[in-house]
Amino acid sequence: MDVSTLPPPEAHESDTCAVVRAILARVGDKWSILIVRMLGDGSMRFSELRRSIEGISQRMLTLTLRNLERDGLVARTVTPTTPPRVDYELTDLGHSLQSITEAFGRWAVTHRDQIENARLRFDARQ
Amino acid sequence: MDVSTLPPPEAHESDTCAVVRAILARVGDKWSILIVRMLGDGSMRFSELRRSIEGISQRMLTLTLRNLERDGLVARTVTPTTPPRVDYELTDLGHSLQSITEAFGRWAVTHRDQIENARLRFDARQ
DNA sequence: ATGTGCTGGTTACGATCAGGAACCGAAAGA
DNA sequence: TCTTTCGGTTCCTGATCGTAACCAGCACAT
């Protein structure tokens, strides 16, 4: 989340490296991908997201949603009722990321045990 | 990179949320994905990686490789010559992640402009 | 009238982490 | 002897994460 701008113009052709890095800096943090995954099933309001993404704080949810909105992955809709209602949904750009986040989710669940075992083995070796 | 352990046993069934979060915390940072992408083409030695992943510091390369090794995604081979030679290559587990990192790389390159534009529009609105 | 709850945030602050720069030993080459 | 290469490590600073507290606005109950 530290890279404030996308790579400079001179890196225009094919240094995938810098592009991937800059985009990952935004989209690659743990909350962003989780939120994209949750919103894949349809729009959700703020507190709904907060309840379904366990472990996220209000602050991080706000910040992450704001960044996703800034990058055009998520759209924010305010309905000025009482109490106010704020809905978030994926934009087309956000939807285009869906297949990747889903693939990642499947990979994570499938290989979870392997990673945990590798980690235990590594730590035992030290 | 802050979550030190994988999710506790009680979260065993299907709270994909915690699993994805814990795994992303390790694998989802910008350097890890870039390294997996680089190693996808074959094994590389330390300084080779440092030169080809522009912008990475020696320290972050060391740390990230260590974590990837710990999680069983990367194998480290030391050849005790002078100067020492250390090669890194993907394990089978690491290779299983390849298609995802490649898909992400393609997505990043393809949608780079859209993100940059969305960001400019958002900032202009404030 | 007064308290309590829900909404979607914001602020303050301490812990944690990323990242840069400098340093390291050993050996080869000039 | 001085420099370079190799793969690290150590120190330090500034950014970031995350927790807890606070906020306004309104409904409903006491």
Side-chain angles (χ1 to χ4, degrees), chain B:
Chain B
M1 288 290 209
D2 50 324
V3 178
S4 58
T5 51
L6 284 167
E10 70 267 19
H12 199 52
E13 296 88 38
S14 65
D15 82 342
T16 318
C17 206
V19 180
V20 170
R21 184 152 55 96
I23 303 222
L24 255 173
R26 293 276 162 195
V27 145
D29 69 302
K30 56 180 183 236
W31 301 125
S32 294
I33 290 201
L34 282 173
I35 289 176
V36 170
R37 281 173 48 92
M38 297 309 294
L39 292 179
D41 301 331
S43 87
M44 284 196 187
R45 51 193 303 192
F46 186 87
S47 48
E48 210 173 344
L49 278 169
R50 186 179 28 157
R51 276 188 297 266
S52 57
I53 301 179
E54 55 168 332
I56 197 170
S57 67
Q58 225 162 4
R59 182 179 170 273
M60 287 318 291
L61 183 55
T62 304
L63 286 178
T64 310
L65 283 170
R66 198 86 74 218
N67 277 325
L68 289 174
E69 190 195 356
R70 186 166 109 100
D71 289 351
L73 294 159
V74 155
R76 181 173 182 266
T77 314
V78 182
T79 315
T81 57
T82 53
R85 177 190 179 94
V86 182
D87 287 282
Y88 293 91
E89 61 182 330
L90 290 187
T91 61
D92 289 344
L93 186 58
H95 276 296
S96 73
L97 198 75
Q98 249 192 290
S99 62
I100 294 176
T101 61
E102 272 167 21
F104 187 86
R106 274 194 303 277
W107 187 90
V109 172
T110 309
H111 298 90
R112 179 203 175 180
D113 292 341
Q114 286 182 63
I115 292 184
E116 191 164 13
N117 289 338
R119 205 172 285 182
L120 291 173
R121 254 178 287 126
F122 184 91
D123 293 348
R125 225 176 300 144
Q126 304 311 318

Side-chain angles (χ1 to χ4, degrees), chain A residues 42-120:
Chain A
S43 87
M44 285 196 185
R45 51 192 304 190
F46 186 87
S47 49
E48 210 173 345
L49 278 169
R50 188 182 25 160
R51 275 188 298 266
S52 57
I53 301 180
E54 56 169 332
I56 196 169
S57 65
Q58 223 162 4
R59 181 178 171 273
M60 286 317 292
L61 183 54
T62 305
L63 285 178
T64 310
L65 283 170
R66 200 83 76 219
N67 276 326
L68 289 174
E69 189 194 355
R70 186 166 109 102
D71 288 352
L73 294 159
V74 156
R76 181 173 182 268
T77 316
V78 183
T79 316
T81 56
T82 54
R85 178 191 179 95
V86 182
D87 286 282
Y88 293 91
E89 61 182 332
L90 290 187
T91 60
D92 289 344
L93 186 57
H95 276 295
S96 73
L97 198 75
Q98 249 192 290
S99 62
I100 295 177
T101 60
E102 272 167 20
F104 187 86
R106 274 194 304 274
W107 187 90
V109 172
T110 307
H111 298 90
R112 179 204 174 177
D113 292 340
Q114 285 182 64
I115 291 183
E116 192 163 15
N117 289 338
R119 204 173 285 182
L120 291 173

Side-chain angles (χ1 to χ4, degrees), chain A residues 31-48:
Chain A
W31 300 125
S32 294
I33 289 202
L34 282 173
I35 289 177
V36 170
R37 281 174 47 91
M38 297 309 295
L39 292 180
D41 300 330
S43 87
M44 285 196 185
R45 51 192 304 190
F46 186 87
S47 49
E48 210 173 345

Side-chain angles (χ1 to χ4, degrees), chain A residues 5-15, chain B residues 112 116:
Chain A
T5 52
L6 283 167
E10 69 267 20
H12 199 54
E13 295 87 38
S14 64
D15 81 341
Chain B
R112 179 203 175 180
E116 191 164 13

